Amino acid sequence: LTDLALSRSVVDRAAHHRVDRDWLAAAWDDPRTRVVQVAAGRAAVSGEPPSLVLDGRPDSDPDQRFLLGVDGSDGSDGSDGGAPVAYFAVDLTGRLEVAEDDAGWQGLRELAGALDDRAAGVLTHAVALANWHSTHTHCPRCGAPTRIEAAGHLRRCERDGSEHYPRTDAAVIMAVVDAEDRILLGRHVQWPEGRFSTLAGFVEPGESLEAAVRREVAEEVGIRIGAVRYLGSQPWPFPSSLMLGFFATAESVEIDRFDGEIAEAHWFSRAGLAQAIRAGAVRPSPSVSISRRLIEHWYGGPLPDPGLAQSG
């Protein structure tokens, strides 16, 4: 899978700068430095189509600034082609009230498809860090408060000194295809009628990715899986997942909703899926998701537009 919306990035994360406080201070003061502002998982944007606001410099504690990386030595972002440009993020959650209908702040899901590779990469990084920090303010070992270090990529316990790093939860997501080359799509019990996706689930401790694919499919729909082939991955910071995409060959086809997570599941041929989408009976995953790309990989190209009558 290529061109996954949230897997795009051209910025060097420059991890060696995260502990260099002099460099971080100088980079923040550099007028060329770009800053991503996020609040409650949404980013400051402007224009139409929206683009990230990167020229603001909100007041912030130096320890509350997240270094996203450096870029721009080739002048590709409008710089002079000299020294690399630094990218930071500042999380304004709790300091700034953002109304739900404020068009100046939009979520990553809505924005990603409209952003270029550089902006998509830095915003995905920023949202992932902000989400982790919001839920890891205290030490899981002793309960004491933790403080931010390494430019947002580490929290240290103020009591026992233990280090805690940003969490990433591995999840498998799979296009299950049978011997007739039909794809299996399911609707989660919490989703509205008509919304269908590929199956997915979290990897358990001590479990391989291939084993997780087979277990999740068996638990959700009772189908046995044979061959499993990796296709690609995409970060999904809602709040902290890494989606690992697979193509899985079904060895059985009878659907049995075993664990109660799936409200309904169906096998679709390419013609049947296209007809269901055009009729509005199936609403596939959004284009920003790896699920949509897995379906399109099987389908052989972009899915048809919904609500359009089939020509011919």
Side-chain angles (χ1 to χ4, degrees):
L1 299 180
T2 59
D3 298 326
L4 291 162
L6 304 188
S7 294
R8 299 174 293 154
S9 180
V10 296
V11 171
D12 178 358
R13 294 199 171 200
H16 58 288
H17 286 314
R18 295 172 185 170
V19 295
D20 187 339
R21 299 183 71 86
D22 291 339
W23 184 93
L24 291 169
W28 180 262
D29 291 337
D30 189 330
R32 301 174 307 144
T33 289
R34 315 299 170 85
V35 181
V36 179
Q37 301 175 59
V38 295
R42 299 162 71 187
V45 299
S46 64
E48 187 59 42
S51 60
L52 284 183
V53 172
L54 294 170
D55 55 0
R57 198 65 58 87
D59 292 335
S60 59
D61 185 316
D63 290 333
Q64 303 292 321
R65 302 165 187 164
F66 310 152
L67 176 65
L68 304 177
V70 297
D71 189 35
S73 58
D74 61 355
S76 58
D77 66 348
S79 70
D80 60 9
V85 173
Y87 285 78
F88 286 84
V90 174
D91 186 5
L92 300 175
T93 303
R95 297 168 48 195
L96 179 69
E97 290 294 330
V98 178
E100 286 293 326
D101 59 352
D102 188 341
W105 294 82
Q106 295 189 23
L108 180 58
R109 283 185 176 92
E110 296 76 31
L111 275 174
L115 300 178
D116 62 22
D117 291 353
R118 180 178 289 101
V122 296
L123 181 56
T124 301
H125 190 180
V127 170
L129 284 176
N131 286 344
W132 176 70
H133 284 291
S134 70
T135 57
H136 289 74
T137 57
H138 288 72
C139 177
R141 296 173 55 176
C142 69
T146 56
R147 64 176 182 271
I148 298 174
E149 294 187 1
H153 294 77
L154 166 69
R155 294 190 77 103
R156 187 181 301 278
C157 178
E158 295 181 353
R159 178 183 297 163
D160 63 26
S162 58
E163 297 179 350
H164 306 279
Y165 293 88
R167 172 174 174 168
T168 298
D169 299 321
V172 292
I173 184 165
M174 39 276 177
V176 177
V177 177
D178 70 1
E180 298 180 20
D181 204 20
R182 300 179 300 173
I183 194 169
L184 178 68
L185 300 180
R187 180 174 70 85
H188 195 276
V189 292
Q190 297 180 345
W191 293 351
E193 293 287 338
R195 181 181 172 187
F196 282 84
S197 175
T198 51
L199 303 183
F202 288 105
V203 181
E204 294 187 344
E207 185 176 45
S208 71
L209 300 177
E210 294 82 0
V213 169
R214 296 186 174 96
R215 175 185 54 77
E216 283 290 342
V217 175
E219 289 178 356
E220 293 188 348
V221 292
I223 288 174
R224 297 190 312 276
I225 295 297
V228 175
R229 178 164 56 92
Y230 173 75
L231 292 179
S233 66
Q234 171 166 270
W236 194 247
F238 309 112
S240 57
S241 297
L242 175 64
M243 307 302 297
L244 300 140
F246 292 86
F247 186 94
T249 302
E251 293 185 339
S252 64
V253 296
E254 185 175 350
I255 296 171
D256 180 9
R257 299 190 298 279
F258 174 74
D259 65 2
E261 291 188 13
I262 301 298
E264 58 179 317
H266 304 285
W267 292 103
F268 293 92
S269 66
R270 289 175 180 79
L273 180 60
Q275 182 180 20
I277 292 173
R278 292 190 180 104
V282 167
R283 289 186 288 116
S285 309
S287 58
V288 70
S289 70
I290 190 173
S291 172
R292 178 65 165 262
R293 297 306 312 280
L294 286 168
I295 297 170
E296 291 179 335
H297 179 80
W298 162 82
Y299 188 74
L303 295 175
D305 291 327
L308 297 181
Q310 188 170 1
S311 60

